[in-house]
Amino acid sequence: MNAAPADQIRLLDLQAFDSKLDQLAHRRRSLPEHTEIDKVNADHTALKDLVIAAQAQHGDTTRELTKAEQDVEQVRSRAARNQQRLDSGAITSPRDLENLQHEIGSLAKRQGDLEDVVLEIMERLESAQTRVTELTARLEHSTVVLTEAEGRRDAAFAAIDAEVEKVGREREAVAAVVPADLMKVYAKLRETQGGVGAARLFQRRCEGCRTEFSITELNSIKAEPADKVVRCENCSRILVRTADSGV
Ligand SMILES: [Zn+2]
């Protein structure tokens, strides 16, 4: 394949832009913020689940308390009714009086037991409330941490993307003047040779694979016409001869 020496040299500029774009894409993918955000996100999701569970626990305990308070109220009003009947003097039979007094006594005991239950539930409700408050605060904190990390990531993205756009424009300007057939070979080599399709010949070395050529090899490269597209025998990349190649 033949190409004007100037176009071959342009390939080195193109390579520099492409390598730069590859670096930028790599930097974009491997920002430390990605790992950080993944971790904070996992914590955040776990905390959300914990908050939901704690709120459910709080709701259940609240309902349990209402029920227990109703039980106390029922016993209290029944005892009050009995006391009223007793105080009214309407009951005169000693047996009925005795039964009534006995029931009033049982109800008082029952009310005491139920009030203990209410107290126990109130304690659990307080712990449930504390847990909801604590977990909600942690969730809010994790939201702040997440938003902050996402902000840093987006700022890094914006800076990288702006540079990608700038380098991309410069690359296009060069790519537009390189002949299509040379571009095709270069692009193919970039795919198969780890992103480097064209390398400079410098101080007897291929700068693509760092192979040092023997004098004989160097002489045969020298013997090639300037518009011949030379390929490195070791890595098969396009070997570009420049003014400082020493050939
Ligand atoms: Zn090479």
Side-chain angles (χ1 to χ4, degrees):
M1 181 192 253
N2 294 319
D7 285 334
Q8 293 187 39
I9 288 169
R10 278 193 186 98
L11 227 40
L12 291 179
D13 295 336
L14 196 64
Q15 180 64 67
F17 289 134
D18 280 334
S19 296
K20 181 72 188 164
L21 289 171
D22 287 347
Q23 277 169 22
L24 289 168
H26 178 262
R27 198 194 300 167
R28 201 182 198 280
R29 280 194 305 274
S30 49
L31 286 173
E33 281 80 7
H34 293 312
T35 322
E36 191 185 343
I37 289 167
D38 283 351
K39 192 194 168 304
V40 179
N41 242 328
D43 290 350
H44 194 73
T45 307
L47 270 173
K48 254 191 215 163
D49 290 346
L50 286 176
V51 168
I52 290 167
Q55 281 168 340
Q57 178 76 52
H58 184 263
D60 289 348
T61 314
T62 305
R63 278 185 290 279
E64 205 185 332
L65 181 63
T66 307
K67 170 78 174 59
E69 282 170 344
Q70 284 166 351
D71 290 348
V72 170
E73 196 41 47
Q74 258 178 7
V75 172
R76 202 204 313 269
S77 57
R78 194 163 159 199
R81 275 198 309 276
N82 285 347
Q83 191 63 48
Q84 252 177 353
R85 281 173 68 203
L86 190 68
D87 295 347
S88 71
I91 294 155
T92 48
S93 143
R95 193 187 160 84
D96 288 351
L97 275 176
E98 196 188 321
N99 282 345
L100 197 56
Q101 271 165 341
H102 179 73
E103 200 190 328
I104 288 171
S106 309
L107 286 171
K109 161 104 180 46
R110 173 97 182 111
Q111 186 180 330
D113 291 347
L114 288 173
E115 279 167 351
D116 287 347
V117 170
V118 167
L119 285 177
E120 183 265 324
I121 298 171
M122 282 171 93
E123 274 170 24
R124 274 194 284 123
L125 187 63
E126 203 185 320
S127 329
Q129 181 57 60
T130 306
R131 185 155 169 76
V132 168
T133 308
E134 186 212 306
L135 286 170
T136 306
R138 280 171 60 193
L139 184 64
E140 277 165 11
H141 174 70
S142 115
T143 307
V144 171
V145 173
L146 186 61
T147 309
E148 192 264 338
E150 283 171 345
R152 270 187 284 119
R153 177 203 57 195
D154 292 345
F157 273 176
I160 292 170
D161 292 348
E163 203 175 346
V164 165
E165 209 191 309
K166 176 179 160 284
V167 176
R169 273 198 308 271
E170 291 169 341
R171 181 203 182 273
E172 281 320 300
V174 176
V177 290
V178 174
D181 54 349
L182 187 60
M183 269 304 270
K184 211 171 154 184
V185 175
Y186 163 77
K188 187 81 205 154
L189 282 166
R190 233 170 79 70
E191 258 175 49
T192 57
Q193 303 299 320
V196 180
R200 181 172 66 148
L201 172 66
F202 186 64
Q203 290 174 346
R204 296 173 57 181
R205 284 179 193 276
C206 160
E207 286 195 323
C209 63
R210 312 301 302 165
T211 291
E212 188 173 345
F213 299 112
S214 67
I215 297 296
T216 321
E217 286 167 329
L218 212 59
N219 281 340
S220 77
I221 294 170
K222 265 186 200 175
E224 297 287 0
D227 63 351
K228 167 88 198 270
V229 176
V230 177
R231 304 275 290 269
C232 169
E233 277 186 13
N234 181 53
C235 67
S236 77
R237 290 182 176 101
I238 297 168
L239 199 56
V240 180
R241 289 161 289 171
T242 67
D244 53 9
S245 281
V247 290

